[in-house]
Amino acid sequence: MINATSLGDPEFRADYGLKYAYVAGAMYKGIASKELVVAMGKAGHIAFLGTGGLDLDEVESSIRYIQSELSNAPGGSYGMNLLSNLEAPDQEERAVDLYLRYGIRCVEAAAFVRITSALVRYRVKGIRADPEMGAVPAQRVLAKVSRPEVASAFMQPPPDRVLRDLVASGGITAREAELAGFIPMADDVCVEADSGGHTDRGVAYALMPAMFALRDEMMARYRYGRRIRVGAAGGIGAPAAAAAAFVMGADFILTGSINQCTREARTSDSVKALLQQIDVQDTAYAPAGDMFELGAKVQVVRRGLFFPARANRLHELYMRHNSLDEVDPTTRRQIEHKYFKRSFEQVWEETRAYYAETNPRKLGEIERSPKQKMAAVFRWYFAHTTRLALDGIEDERFDYQIHCGPALGAFNRWVKGTDIEPWQNRRVAELAERLMRGTAELLTARFSAMNGGDAAIGRGIASAPLSRR
């Protein structure tokens, strides 16, 4: 008999003080809300606050709330999202300052393409010597990655160059830099396959074995005192998917899309009602607003929404033209009247005011380049459509930008006809419980069938109605 508490790596559960090897990942704009984080922590699970797109005052307020609510809770585990910001690295530095000041002991590092000074400082500050392992860090890092070269950077010790610069600037001590050679940049590497939001559209069945082999190579090369753990994310919305991840060897699983359709998620009721209805085929790829010029993609809901098609149209125009003046009058009218519901000039004035307050240097660059100005105006649509969804503006619901993967469609199918089919009955901690218990039941039946047990049970349990617990 396989139990939910036996799935994954026991050391992972012990390190984070968890009931299951299960994580609720961060979702930007606080969709993974402070309430969601607290609910998971009180139930013996862990979630990461979605700090992307929030100002530091709101992040600080959320930290205070979480720490107050979980201070006396058994386990009481929680973490913060730490996003890479190559365009404004000072924002990353200020986030690390805040986390260290409040004693945040674990972060989910996301969107990193290289190891930054701020991330190294967070990882290394307070590290201590250990006679058995060489060194023990004060802070844990769970890195979300989708490419082997990025995973490789997180599986190696902090770069010497970055350590030297931090010592020279007083960010860390020489002793901390010396001890950093005993540890990898991340305790845990979570492999994101075809997930909601930013995605490289990776295939889990190909990515996971490659990441395990890479982990083993790095462990042999650096002889760390503790094994780097590898988890799985993307497409996990039903027991069969979670079971596949654990059978492949995942030390833990991380869910995202399914959690934004819960009572605790910080998105609008209008969005949750829409999400409750989607199926596995109801997502599409669109340009990422924060990486618009690079053509990076996000996975979003497409059912009943115009956003994916309109966003791709804007990127197509950006690639074809060098300025807004080159856009033909008919297309311009369509964008202004149907997409933006205001003129290019009005959008630019709003955009200009934003940069004047937040990044004057960048504003100067944009004003000198018609191409950059066009990109800035088009990027406004991506921020606008996110706000529409978060606020639940019904009159403009067709333009909602909702990051989501097919995992939620799989989850909706799994819970159809049960008490948690309506989103109003979905609570994030209960989703974790049901998914992990369902996974254990499925694996028990599968292994029983393979060993000559009741094959009918093994075939049927994956599609059986969800038990009402």
Side-chain angles (χ1 to χ4, degrees), residues 257-272:
S257 294
I258 66 173
N259 300 320
Q260 68 176 320
C261 194
T262 62
R263 291 177 64 90
E264 296 91 351
R266 185 195 180 189
T267 191
S268 64
D269 290 358
S270 178
V271 164
K272 293 175 187 178

Side-chain angles (χ1 to χ4, degrees), residues 248-261:
M248 278 194 292
D251 293 310
F252 61 94
I253 60 172
L254 182 147
T255 61
S257 294
I258 66 173
N259 300 320
Q260 68 176 320
C261 194

Side-chain angles (χ1 to χ4, degrees), residues 275-348:
L275 289 172
Q276 177 191 305
Q277 303 297 324
I278 72 166
D279 208 336
V280 292
Q281 73 275 15
D282 291 331
T283 62
Y285 297 97
D290 57 344
M291 299 162 71
F292 180 78
E293 294 95 321
L294 299 177
K297 297 290 186 179
V298 290
Q299 189 163 197
V300 297
V301 175
R302 70 174 174 181
R303 179 176 178 175
L305 302 178
F306 296 151
F307 171 79
R310 290 177 172 178
N312 279 301
R313 175 65 168 150
L314 290 174
H315 190 260
E316 177 192 330
L317 291 169
Y318 169 78
M319 295 300 294
R320 190 192 310 165
H321 301 303
N322 291 311
S323 72
L324 291 170
D325 292 336
E326 293 183 10
V327 178
D328 67 88
T330 300
T331 300
R332 176 169 181 149
R333 281 194 301 272
Q334 181 188 44
I335 294 170
E336 290 180 328
H337 295 161
K338 294 184 179 296
Y339 297 20
F340 294 177
K341 297 180 174 58
R342 63 206 75 190
S343 67
F344 283 175
E345 289 76 18
Q346 288 172 311
V347 171
W348 169 241

Side-chain angles (χ1 to χ4, degrees), residues 352-381:
R352 188 181 184 284
Y354 168 79
Y355 277 107
E357 181 179 350
T358 62
N359 196 340
R361 181 190 60 80
K362 182 65 177 177
L363 175 60
E365 291 180 14
I366 293 171
E367 290 184 319
R368 289 190 295 272
S369 168
K371 183 82 168 180
Q372 286 194 51
K373 181 178 177 180
M374 177 170 57
V377 168
F378 287 174
R379 279 201 309 268
W380 172 91
Y381 177 71

